[in-house]
Amino acid sequence: MADKKDLTRPPATAGSPASMVDSFLSEAKRLGPLAGNAPRARLVFALDATMSRQPTWDLACLVQGEMFAAASEAGGLSVQLVYFRGFGECRSSRWVADPRALMDLMTKISCRGGQTQIGRVLRHVRTEAGQAPLKVLVYVGDAMEEPIDDLCAVAGELGLLGVKALMFHEGHDPDAARAFQEIARLSGGAYARFDAGAPHSLSELLRAAAAYAANGVEGLTRLSAGNAQARVLLTAMNGHKP
């Protein structure tokens, strides 16, 4: 698998804003391969990186290590970062298995104004799931500016591929809430709202997502004893098979 992937357009010329993103992605080449031969749970961590998202992006940088911690007992977690921002820019990193490596990648990204590209994220996840087992998409965002029927069609395909979309919604935008809830429902996943002013809530959601990626409903159930957000996801996913 390539070390970097631009989901939207050819590389930009040197010195352009997008070339700075290429520098961040090239940094991923220095990350070593996954340790050991045992398969790891795979989770796509997708974030809206448009301008309104900078505070939440910074928060996600701080708490993303919770995903790896929650999955460590089951052999670890392999995470791919996907983000969109600006004018049609949507990119994915290589798969990483170290929270420090993911933080290094994330801290090289700054948010820029632009429209949401959730459809591109979902189609990318569909492609990844067709190449190797992939259980969970974690999406963090606050808005939706795309035709909802198009998103729902791909979400249904993800459900058929066994990929659960866990849609974490910051704020109260009704269009986003409706779209995120439908994507979660059609994929067999879950929707949860969080407040960026309460970092603990996003931290708990990421731990819950990783517990599900690693051990399915059983892992989520064990975590729910001391994790309020895990209980929220477990309730939302009630009736879905692990």
Side-chain angles (χ1 to χ4, degrees), residues 2 11 16 23 75 84 92 115 133 136 147 152-153 158 166 191 207 219 228:
S16 69
S23 296
F84 57 81
S92 65
Q115 301 293 304
V136 172
C152 289
L158 294 184
L166 304 183
Y191 165 90
R207 286 183 64 86

Side-chain angles (χ1 to χ4, degrees), residues 1 26-27 32 60 70 82 95 105 109 114 121 127 162 164 167 211:
M1 181 177 177
S26 65
E27 184 75 13
V82 178
W95 292 91
L105 296 177
I109 297 296
V121 171
T127 298
K164 312 294 187 187
M167 306 295 291

Side-chain angles (χ1 to χ4, degrees), residues 46-48 53 56 139-143 167-171 176 180 194:
L47 295 98
D48 178 340
R53 308 299 303 148
T56 304
Y139 178 82
V140 180
D142 67 345
M167 306 295 291
F168 299 158
H169 179 201
E170 181 196 355
F180 292 3
F194 73 95

Side-chain angles (χ1 to χ4, degrees), residues 20-75:
M20 297 172 63
V21 180
D22 288 330
S23 296
F24 132 73
L25 288 167
S26 65
E27 184 75 13
K29 293 180 179 180
R30 299 199 298 178
L31 300 176
L34 300 182
N37 297 318
R40 292 178 181 267
R42 296 206 312 158
L43 180 152
V44 170
F45 186 32
L47 295 98
D48 178 340
T50 54
M51 188 64 74
S52 65
R53 308 299 303 148
Q54 191 66 58
T56 304
W57 182 280
D58 294 341
L59 171 60
C61 287
L62 292 175
V63 303
Q64 53 81 23
E66 299 295 335
M67 293 187 297
F68 296 90
S72 61
E73 293 182 3

Side-chain angles (χ1 to χ4, degrees), residues 147-222:
I148 189 171
D149 288 342
D150 293 349
L151 303 183
C152 289
V154 187
E157 294 181 57
L158 294 184
L160 293 175
L161 289 168
V163 182
K164 312 294 187 187
L166 304 183
M167 306 295 291
F168 299 158
H169 179 201
E170 181 196 355
H172 300 274
D173 182 276
D175 292 333
R178 183 166 59 253
F180 292 3
Q181 288 165 355
E182 276 299 287
I183 292 169
R185 183 183 68 82
L186 290 167
S187 68
Y191 165 90
R193 203 189 71 79
F194 73 95
D195 182 353
H200 186 61
S201 61
L202 182 58
S203 175
E204 285 195 339
L205 284 169
L206 297 183
R207 286 183 64 86
Y212 180 79
N215 282 311
V217 169
E218 180 182 350
L220 195 55
T221 301
R222 287 200 301 267

Side-chain angles (χ1 to χ4, degrees), residues 51-117:
M51 188 64 74
S52 65
R53 308 299 303 148
Q54 191 66 58
T56 304
W57 182 280
D58 294 341
L59 171 60
C61 287
L62 292 175
V63 303
Q64 53 81 23
E66 299 295 335
M67 293 187 297
F68 296 90
S72 61
E73 293 182 3
L77 184 68
S78 184
V79 174
Q80 183 186 66
L81 173 67
V82 178
Y83 72 95
F84 57 81
R85 66 178 187 172
F87 182 68
E89 181 183 340
C90 184
R91 296 180 182 243
S92 65
S93 76
R94 68 172 295 173
W95 292 91
V96 299
D98 183 340
R100 292 168 299 181
L102 184 57
M103 179 179 282
D104 286 346
L105 296 177
M106 292 180 69
T107 54
K108 297 180 188 299
I109 297 296
S110 61
C111 295
R112 295 200 183 118
Q115 301 293 304
T116 64
Q117 299 179 63

